Amino acid sequence: EEINSLNQKLDDHIAENEQEKINECRRRILTFNDKVIANYDKITKERYDNILEDIDLYERYCSEHPEYPNNKAKLAIQNLKDDYKERY
């Protein structure tokens, strides 16, 4: 029973850590979108490629965790994808 309790605590901790990692991805996505909107011409392809990795990770997590509230970055993600297509 004690081992099961410890396993559950460990699983909970891992899930919380993973969710915080995804929350940080979302923050970076939203911040980057704000920068794109505010300073359209000064965004490099390398920065875009980096944020696209965050977007992939965020979208994959949302798909695998339907209980996670993923509506907080949908418009920003769509804007970034559209802008990337226009630029590159």
Side-chain angles (χ1 to χ4, degrees), residues 2-84:
E2 189 174 327
I3 291 176
N4 287 339
S5 175
L6 287 174
N7 281 338
Q8 184 60 49
K9 287 180 181 180
L10 179 58
D11 289 346
D12 292 347
H13 179 69
I14 290 170
E16 288 173 14
N17 189 31
E18 187 177 36
Q19 188 168 339
E20 184 51 40
K21 179 180 176 182
I22 295 305
N23 289 343
E24 185 57 36
C25 275
R26 182 175 59 213
R27 283 189 282 277
R28 286 192 300 268
I29 291 165
L30 293 172
T31 299
F32 190 81
N33 188 55
D34 289 345
K35 289 179 181 180
V36 166
I37 290 168
N39 213 351
Y40 188 77
D41 293 330
K42 295 183 181 182
I43 306 297
T44 64
K45 185 176 184 311
E46 290 84 2
R47 294 210 48 209
Y48 249 110
D49 291 342
N50 189 54
I51 205 67
L52 290 174
E53 289 178 16
D54 277 346
I55 289 171
D56 287 344
L57 180 63
Y58 179 79
E59 290 182 323
R60 186 171 42 255
Y61 182 87
C62 290
S63 175
E64 293 171 359
H65 299 85
E67 74 284 357
Y68 182 75
N70 68 342
N71 61 340
K72 297 180 179 180
K74 285 183 179 181
L75 295 176
I77 288 170
Q78 190 58 56
N79 182 59
L80 292 172
K81 287 179 177 182
D82 291 346
D83 190 63
Y84 183 86

